[in-house]
Amino acid sequence: MIVCSCNVLSEKQLREAAKEMRADPNGKVPTPGAVFRHLGCRPRCGGCFPSVIDIIHEKASEETRETEPESVPLKRAANR
């Protein structure tokens, strides 16, 4: 699905760019402007920014959930 009609950027392209940026240890934080620059373009009207922000954060939260260790219940010390 096309998210940015000014630059004809798809949801898949935006997700992949944000993923690449997060994977780079020296990379920048994937903001909408940074993602656009990563793709070799620049934002124009900005009407897609709310969707781009949702896409960036949605993917980041999915990756965080996949890499988080499962919580382990803590053992409580017996009262003496």
Side-chain angles (χ1 to χ4, degrees), residues 62-74:
E62 287 175 12
E63 289 172 357
T64 302
R65 274 186 256 130
E66 291 172 3
T67 60
E68 283 180 351
E70 291 190 29
S71 61
V72 178
L74 298 175

Side-chain angles (χ1 to χ4, degrees), residues 25-47:
N26 299 318
K28 296 180 180 178
V29 174
T31 62
V35 170
F36 275 73
R37 286 188 295 278
H38 185 80
L39 291 169
C41 55
R42 63 184 187 87
R44 296 200 177 140
C45 76

Side-chain angles (χ1 to χ4, degrees), residues 48-69:
C48 63
F49 272 29
S51 297
V52 172
I53 291 168
D54 289 344
I55 290 167
I56 292 169
H57 290 297
E58 178 182 296
K59 189 63 179 173
S61 64
E62 287 175 12
E63 289 172 357
T64 302
R65 274 186 256 130
E66 291 172 3
T67 60
E68 283 180 351

